[in-house]
């Protein structure tokens, strides 16, 4: 009886172990961004993607484990000849990922090696279509052309090339020296152009400044002449007004008795001074006809003044 129980326990244990092994073999947990290629009896059966998956134990097996993540592969340095027959040393980095695990497993033996070699040959081919200067100026176009050419050839492998980046382009030493001399000449040329532009602008500024100073000087002379003319005109008006006022005051004073006596005295004085001046300047002396000549002159002047006064009164009455 004890032997039978021991046998049954051993059988149950074996069955439990078999079930555990069977479950472990049939359950597959596929990580994110990975894919398992399943073969049954050596033939492709299915592709298991991320998550919980079941296979037939002891019949199905994982033939390949493919990563679906983007990969970066260094493309070794290589020699290439440009369109103008310049030898270059070029290296780069290739970025790609697996799109179809089935094609990546059965379409090519080693897709990483194949894509790297294809990138090298394509890069040499594309560089052969460009001149040396264009390889430095148009790297983006060169990268785009390389990616397009690789994708066209790697389609049957289930690979997608995302981008290709050239790290270094190293020309021969002689070419580098020539390029450096050319760049130096370009810098000297730009410096001379900038200097000449500065001289031209300075000359233009000086000419504009001289023109502005001449205009300002002319405007200043014009303003000065206008002000001088206005001042002279005001002076003439002021002198004329003063003379008119003086004549008016003399006329008013002459209308009085005292004024007439003063005029008579002034006329007599001026007549005497005139005769004295004539006597000094001439050898001939004119004597008055009579001793009352001076009195006669005064009387004549008085008569003239009285006539003027009467005419003035007559005009005022009218």
């Amino acid at each position: 009886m004890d032997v039978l129980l021991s046998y049954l326990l051993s059988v149950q244990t074996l069955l439990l172990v078999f079930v555990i092994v069977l479950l472990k073999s049939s359950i597959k947990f596929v990580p994110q961004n990975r894919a398992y290629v399943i073969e049954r009896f050596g033939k492709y059966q299915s592709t298991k993607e991320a998550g919980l998956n079941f296979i037939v134990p002891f019949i199905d097996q994982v033939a390949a484990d493919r990563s679906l993540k983007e990969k970066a592969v260094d493309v070794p340095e290589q020699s290439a000849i440009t369109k103008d027959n310049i030898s270059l040393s070029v290296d780069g980095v290739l970025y790609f990922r697996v799109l179809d695990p089935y094609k990546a497993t059965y379409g090519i033996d080693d897709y990483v090696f194949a894509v790297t070699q294809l990138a090298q040959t394509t890069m040499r081919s594309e560089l052969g279509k460009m001149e040396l200067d264009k390889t430095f100026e148009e790297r983006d176009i060169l990268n785009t052309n390389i990616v397009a050419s690789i994708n066209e050839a790697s389609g049957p492998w289930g690979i997608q090339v995302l981008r290709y980046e050239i790290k270094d382009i190293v020309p021969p030493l002689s070419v580098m020296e020539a390029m450096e001399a050319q760049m130096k000449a370009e810098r000297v040329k730009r410096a001379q152009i900038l200097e000449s532009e500065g001289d031209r602008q300075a000359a233009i500024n000086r000419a504009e400044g001289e023109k502005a100073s001449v205009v300002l000087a002319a405007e200043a002379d014009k303003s000065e002449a206008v002000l001088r003319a206005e001042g002279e005109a005001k002076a003439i008006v002021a002198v004329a007004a003063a003379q008119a006022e003086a004549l008016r005051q003399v006329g008013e004073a002459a209308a009085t008795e005292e004024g007439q006596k003063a005029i008579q005295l002034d006329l007599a004085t001026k007549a005497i001074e005139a005769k004295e001046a004539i006597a000094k300047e001439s050898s001939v002396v004119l004597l008055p006809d009579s001793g009352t000549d001076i009195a006669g002159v005064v009387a004549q002047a008085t008569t003239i003044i009285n006539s003027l006064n009467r005419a003035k009164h007559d005009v005022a009455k009218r």
Side-chain angles (χ1 to χ4, degrees), residues 1-10:
M1 191 68 176
D2 292 336
V3 175
L4 181 60
L5 290 174
S6 298
Y7 177 74
L8 291 175
L9 289 174
S10 298

Side-chain angles (χ1 to χ4, degrees), residues 12-31:
Q12 290 177 355
T13 302
L14 290 175
L15 289 174
L16 180 60
V17 171
F18 179 76
V19 170
I20 292 174
V21 173
L22 187 65
L23 289 174
K24 184 177 180 181
S25 300
S26 63
I27 296 175
K28 294 296 180 182
F29 294 99
V30 181

Side-chain angles (χ1 to χ4, degrees), residues 10 25 97 103 118 131 161 178 188 204 227 231 256 266 271-272 279 294:
S10 298
S25 300
R97 66 189 181 95
K103 292 182 179 179
L118 183 59
E131 296 181 354
V161 177
V188 172
I204 291 173
L227 293 175
T256 62
D266 183 62
I272 294 171
I294 299 302

Side-chain angles (χ1 to χ4, degrees), residues 33-294:
N33 281 337
R34 301 189 75 85
Y36 289 172
V37 177
I38 306 300
E39 291 182 352
R40 179 173 295 175
F41 298 116
K43 183 180 179 180
Y44 173 77
Q45 194 274 330
S46 62
T47 300
K48 304 299 183 182
E49 297 180 351
L52 177 62
N53 295 274
F54 296 94
I55 62 174
V56 178
F58 309 113
I59 297 177
D60 295 342
Q61 62 178 355
V62 178
D65 178 7
R66 299 303 181 194
S67 174
L68 303 181
K69 298 179 183 179
E70 181 178 348
K71 292 184 179 181
V73 178
D74 182 61
V75 179
E77 182 178 345
Q78 60 180 327
S79 178
I81 299 177
T82 62
K83 186 177 180 180
D84 48 354
N85 296 323
I86 303 298
S87 179
L88 303 175
S89 296
V90 186
D91 61 350
V93 180
L94 183 66
Y95 298 86
F96 67 93
R97 66 189 181 95
V98 176
L99 286 182
D100 190 341
Y102 174 81
K103 292 182 179 179
T105 303
Y106 300 103
I108 189 72
D109 184 28
D110 186 351
Y111 62 84
V112 176
F113 175 78
V115 171
T116 304
Q117 295 299 313
L118 183 59
Q120 288 182 324
T121 56
T122 304
M123 182 166 55
R124 283 196 294 267
S125 176
E126 291 297 328
L127 285 174
K129 302 175 184 178
M130 304 176 67
E131 296 181 354
L132 178 62
D133 294 338
K134 297 296 183 180
T135 59
F136 295 100
E137 297 174 1
E138 300 180 358
R139 282 197 180 189
D140 293 338
I141 298 176
L142 181 60
N143 294 338
T144 302
N145 293 338
I146 292 174
V147 169
S149 299
I150 296 175
N151 280 330
E152 184 178 354
S154 63
W157 304 340
I159 305 298
Q160 180 188 21
V161 177
L162 302 176
R163 58 189 179 280
Y164 181 84
E165 299 292 341
I166 296 177
K167 291 195 296 185
D168 292 317
I169 299 178
V170 183
L173 182 60
S174 59
V175 175
M176 292 182 66
E177 292 176 352
M179 292 173 64
E180 184 176 357
Q182 181 181 1
M183 288 187 292
K184 183 178 180 181
E186 286 292 332
R187 287 194 294 268
V188 172
K189 176 183 176 181
R190 287 196 297 267
Q192 292 176 349
I193 291 174
L194 291 175
E195 184 178 359
S196 63
E197 287 291 334
D199 294 339
R200 185 175 71 88
Q201 190 62 40
I204 291 173
N205 293 338
R206 285 194 298 270
E208 291 180 351
E210 292 175 356
K211 176 183 177 181
S213 64
V214 170
V215 172
L216 291 175
E219 291 180 352
D221 293 340
K222 176 182 176 182
S223 300
E224 183 181 359
V226 170
L227 293 175
R228 186 184 301 112
E230 291 178 352
E232 292 176 355
K234 291 180 179 179
I236 293 172
V237 171
V239 171
Q243 291 178 350
E245 181 64 21
L247 292 174
R248 185 184 63 79
Q249 292 180 1
V250 170
E252 291 179 354
T256 62
E257 183 178 355
E258 290 78 6
Q260 293 180 3
K261 291 180 179 180
I263 291 174
Q264 293 176 1
L265 179 60
D266 183 62
L267 291 174
T269 302
K270 289 181 178 180
I272 294 171
E273 290 175 353
K275 290 183 178 294
E276 289 179 353
I278 292 171
K280 290 179 180 179
E281 296 295 331
S282 177
S283 59
V284 179
V285 179
L286 298 176
L287 295 176
D289 295 335
S290 64
T292 60
D293 186 60
I294 299 302

